[in-house]
Amino acid sequence: MIRSYKFLLRPTTRQAVALGEMLRDHCSLYNGALQERRDAWRHGSKTRIRYGDQSAQLKEIRVFAPERQGRWSFSSQQATLRRLDNAFQAFFRRVKAGQTPGYPRFKGIGHFDTVVFPKDGDGCRWDSTPHEPHTRVCIRGVGHVRVHQHRPVRGRVKTISVKREGNRWYVVLSCDDVPAEPLPPTGAVVGIDVGITHFLTTSDGEHVANPRFLDAAAVELADAQRHLATFPKRTRQRTKKHRAAARKVAKLHSKIRRQRLDFHHKTGLALVRDHDAIAHERLNTAGMTRAPKPKPDPATPGAFLPNGAAAKAGLNRTILDAGWAQFLGILANKAESAGRLLVPVDPRNTSRTCLACGHVAKENRATQAKFECVTCGFTANADHVGATNVLNRAGLVLCDVA
């Protein structure tokens, strides 16, 4: 299996400055390569420059600027150019598919936060001082940076990424050949239905409360964002107060993200430990949170009718705060590692199908929480009905496990 490990870095003041310079120079390389592609295409010859052409120029670039580009790993610079090439490949793919293209943009230094080293030992070496009690990672141009390693690393380290989040630095290891750690069988199977009233409901009738981390921090976050809005959006040099205001907003968002991630890990681990097989809805959260299309007013050219965008925006915010996609991804990884079976099923009408008579109707779901069949009168919690129907749809696969 392939697994990722993320550890906090504890650089010295000098090393933190060097890490910032490394990001700055890789960002400059990315933007320069993007500008070259744009200029070549705007030329009358319509020349297309590819990754191989730009990678071949790296030696000259490093010789021309030894105090900047020449300081860093050659392979990490190739990874940055490959990152730009992937962005263009995705752009052309969307153009062919008739989707919104989204042409690659220039990166501001505040939005370029990751440098990738494609191979352990090539510009960056994990556990560079094994004889010392503290784990360190050696980064070319930076030195041996101390790592807060809170768990053992299993498998073979393939790629290493150095990432900045706010004022913190992290190292992310991508490891191959990670051994599975199967859990003993329990003989239990379960279906789950995710929602916003309850984060999830199981087919056994148990509810897991929705923590709503974004709502809990809404007042403090709104105050911080209003303070940040008093400063100019575009300026060549931010003042000390401007930088402090931006750091506070970023810190609050980072805290919310970490709380949500911790909650998802703990909830997923509890499900995996207690059940041999888990069934869940196959959700398209990107489609569910898409903004409604405008409704032109036929009577008034240029005007639009109400389309419920404000109410949909509130629902979208609640769905994204719950983080269903992230949770299901974490659940899948934990199930694979523990040797459990995860079964995604079609989510259509799971909360509208009667468990007693099988009647399907929109009117069966009287409210967000109550299910009442219009045919036979069966009543139950709507989320519990949905979770049970999810389990029933996955029954053919789960019967083999049980």
Side-chain angles (χ1 to χ4, degrees):
M1 295 186 301
I2 299 177
R3 286 289 178 268
S4 294
Y5 298 88
K6 183 177 179 180
F7 301 113
L8 178 68
L9 291 178
R10 299 195 180 278
T12 64
T13 302
R14 182 192 64 80
Q15 290 173 339
V17 171
L19 288 171
E21 293 174 349
M22 180 178 69
L23 282 184
R24 178 201 64 189
D25 292 338
H26 278 76
C27 178
S28 175
L29 178 66
Y30 182 97
N31 290 335
L34 174 56
Q35 184 66 54
E36 183 183 28
R37 291 198 181 208
R38 287 170 55 124
D39 293 344
W41 181 252
R42 288 174 176 174
H43 191 266
S45 61
K46 297 292 184 181
T47 305
R48 286 187 62 179
I49 297 180
R50 303 180 186 276
Y51 163 75
D53 304 320
Q54 295 186 317
S55 180
Q57 303 174 31
L58 273 178
K59 289 185 178 180
E60 298 178 4
I61 294 173
R62 292 166 63 85
V63 171
F64 179 76
E67 72 286 351
R68 292 195 60 179
Q69 299 295 343
R71 296 174 58 189
W72 316 115
S73 164
F74 188 90
S75 60
S76 68
Q77 293 170 327
Q78 286 181 315
T80 298
L81 295 178
R82 197 174 293 112
R83 173 179 172 181
L84 175 63
D85 187 65
N86 291 337
F88 271 97
Q89 295 300 326
F91 164 73
F92 292 128
R93 184 178 65 250
R94 290 190 294 268
V95 170
K96 292 180 180 178
Q99 302 172 350
T100 303
Y103 191 83
R105 299 181 181 182
F106 292 102
K107 302 286 187 181
I109 186 59
H111 296 275
F112 193 95
D113 296 326
T114 306
V115 173
V116 178
F117 299 87
K119 183 180 179 181
D120 181 24
D122 188 0
C124 184
R125 180 174 295 280
W126 170 250
D127 197 10
S128 57
T129 56
H131 54 280
E132 293 187 4
H134 298 294
T135 305
R136 298 180 186 274
V137 58
C138 182
I139 306 171
R140 176 173 175 175
V142 179
H144 298 270
V145 184
R146 183 177 171 182
V147 181
H148 181 74
Q149 186 181 355
H150 59 276
R151 60 171 175 162
V153 175
R154 304 186 185 279
R156 178 171 55 91
V157 178
K158 292 191 64 177
T159 65
I160 303 176
S161 302
V162 176
K163 185 176 183 180
R164 178 182 60 191
E165 292 184 5
N167 58 352
R168 296 187 178 189
W169 293 90
Y170 294 89
V171 60
V172 182
L173 311 177
S174 178
C175 299
D176 199 2
D177 301 328
V178 179
E181 299 176 359
L183 296 174
T186 63
V189 296
V190 72
I192 61 173
D193 179 80
V194 293
I196 54 178
T197 303
H198 303 287
F199 176 73
L200 68 83
T201 302
T202 70
S203 54
D204 299 328
E206 298 180 1
H207 299 288
V208 176
N210 187 358
R212 299 179 184 270
F213 295 114
L214 185 60
D215 286 351
V219 175
E220 187 179 5
L221 184 60
D223 290 341
Q225 289 174 328
R226 277 194 293 267
H227 180 55
L228 178 61
T230 60
F231 299 95
K233 290 186 177 180
R234 298 184 181 275
T235 177
R236 290 185 176 273
Q237 186 66 35
R238 287 182 172 183
T239 64
K240 185 176 181 180
K241 291 185 178 180
H242 190 176
R243 292 195 300 269
R247 282 197 304 268
K248 185 173 182 180
V249 173
K251 184 177 180 180
L252 289 173
H253 279 294
S254 179
K255 179 181 178 181
I256 295 170
R257 182 172 61 253
R258 292 196 306 271
Q259 287 176 323
R260 186 184 297 118
L261 184 64
D262 179 70
F263 171 73
H264 288 168
H265 274 286
K266 291 178 179 177
T267 305
L269 183 59
L271 285 171
V272 168
R273 281 177 174 172
D274 296 339
H275 304 93
D276 289 343
I278 305 167
H280 69 85
E281 296 171 306
R282 186 187 294 109
L283 298 177
N284 176 18
T285 53
M288 296 171 66
T289 56
R290 188 175 293 119
K293 294 182 179 180
K295 295 172 61 177
D297 188 353
T300 308
F304 295 89
L305 297 173
N307 63 347
K312 187 64 167 63
L315 177 62
N316 292 349
R317 184 166 55 249
T318 306
I319 292 175
L320 295 174
D321 184 27
W324 297 338
Q326 176 178 271
F327 168 71
L328 293 177
I330 290 173
L331 184 62
N333 291 336
K334 291 186 180 298
E336 180 186 10
S337 180
R340 305 303 202 198
L341 179 63
L342 195 67
V343 183
V345 302
D346 187 353
R348 287 177 292 185
N349 296 321
T350 52
S351 298
R352 300 175 178 178
T353 303
C354 179
L355 298 177
C357 66
H359 177 68
V360 181
K362 180 180 180 180
E363 294 74 20
N364 285 350
R365 189 159 187 172
T367 64
Q368 182 69 22
K370 183 179 180 181
F371 179 95
E372 184 174 359
C373 181
V374 296
T375 301
C376 68
F378 173 78
T379 60
N381 179 272
D383 293 332
H384 183 208
V385 171
T388 305
N389 281 320
V390 167
L391 180 62
N392 292 339
R393 290 189 181 184
L396 292 178
V397 178
L398 298 182
C399 283
D400 297 336
V401 178

